[in-house]
Amino acid sequence: MQGSLEDARGNLGPREILLIGVALLIFFGPSRLPELGKSLGKGIQAFKKARRELRTPSRRT
């Protein structure tokens, strides 16, 4: 049973992606979606930058 739960995690098919898109349109409207996408992209970039900085050893020793 647990194997099937692990397999189902993280697999988004076309139906699920479409459902998420429709829900976003309903909640935020078409005028706010580009703004939300831009904010999400900036947040992901900041997260990746912080993760990269933590992984590389500090040269200030």
Side-chain angles (χ1 to χ4, degrees), residues 30-42:
S31 61
R32 294 263 328 241
L33 283 182
E35 181 183 328
L36 289 170
K38 188 176 181 181
S39 298
L40 181 64
K42 285 182 180 182

Side-chain angles (χ1 to χ4, degrees), residues 5-57:
L5 179 62
E6 289 175 2
D7 293 338
R9 230 181 298 156
N11 294 330
L12 290 177
R15 242 186 270 164
E16 289 86 2
I17 293 172
L18 182 63
L19 183 64
I20 291 169
V22 169
L24 287 173
L25 277 172
I26 290 171
F27 289 132
F28 298 110
S31 61
R32 294 263 328 241
L33 283 182
E35 181 183 328
L36 289 170
K38 188 176 181 181
S39 298
L40 181 64
K42 285 182 180 182
I44 290 172
Q45 281 181 337
F47 177 75
K48 286 182 178 181
K49 181 181 177 188
R51 188 177 68 182
R52 231 180 296 123
E53 289 174 356
L54 288 174
R55 282 187 178 178
T56 58

